[in-house]
Amino acid sequence: YSVTMRGMSDQIWDILDDAELSGKVFWKGDKWIVNNLLTTLNHKAIYEVIKGARLGQEYLRELSMTLDKPALWYTPIYNFPVFQPAFKVKSNLVSTPVCRLSLNIYTDELNKREQSNKIASNFIHSIDSTLLAYVVDNMVEDIGVIHDCFLVHPNDGYKVQQHYKEGFVAIMET
């Protein structure tokens, strides 16, 4: 979600570099052309296959551009506030005897571009965390969590799965 062409290209550069280092080059010709082609094809495939996600992302981005202040929303089920500050930065260069430093100071002016670029991924993270909290709240057995992964005894895996499904439905109904 929310990957840009630049981000996708950077990821593909890593794959191509790893392939070169491990002697598994799968292309002929200029690596830059290969990267450009794979980035373009990957981007096109994502937008063709996951149309709903793309439309949701575009909707959130367009909506965020209409805001005059940082985005604020509340998660389903728990009504937890999610605040997304995105302010413009003013840089001041300071010379020291050793080097020049750039000090960034946030202004009160909203950075609509930054807000628009981050809103889809932050919204998805807020939904993921709500789902994780729902599963944890409903498990009576021991459970551990790391990001969006669950650690339970193997015998409790189906219980986690059931709570996950219930949570997903509860979120979508809210």
Side-chain angles (χ1 to χ4, degrees), residues 3-14:
V3 67
T4 62
M5 290 287 281
R6 172 66 186 261
M8 206 178 304
S9 175
D10 289 346
Q11 292 174 24
I12 292 173
W13 274 121
D14 290 343

Side-chain angles (χ1 to χ4, degrees), residues 23-43:
K24 298 179 181 175
V25 174
F26 56 87
W27 67 91
K28 290 184 181 184
D30 191 322
K31 188 164 64 167
W32 182 88
I33 293 172
V34 172
N35 180 294
N36 191 36
L37 175 65
L38 291 175
T39 300
T40 302
L41 292 174
N42 196 37
H43 184 264

Side-chain angles (χ1 to χ4, degrees), residues 15 22 27 33 37 39 51 71 105 109 112 131-132 151 153-154:
I15 293 168
S22 64
W27 67 91
I33 293 172
L37 175 65
T39 300
K51 291 179 182 168
I105 301 167
E109 188 178 353
K112 289 189 175 199
L131 187 50
L132 181 135
L151 173 66
H153 188 278

Side-chain angles (χ1 to χ4, degrees), residues 27-70:
W27 67 91
K28 290 184 181 184
D30 191 322
K31 188 164 64 167
W32 182 88
I33 293 172
V34 172
N35 180 294
N36 191 36
L37 175 65
L38 291 175
T39 300
T40 302
L41 292 174
N42 196 37
H43 184 264
K44 182 178 178 186
I46 288 171
Y47 277 77
E48 287 177 3
V49 173
I50 321 173
K51 291 179 182 168
R54 177 179 52 88
L55 292 173
Q57 179 181 348
E58 289 172 2
Y59 171 77
L60 289 171
R61 291 185 73 169
E62 288 171 13
L63 181 64
S64 74
M65 292 299 283
T66 67
L67 301 175
D68 292 327
K69 52 188 174 184

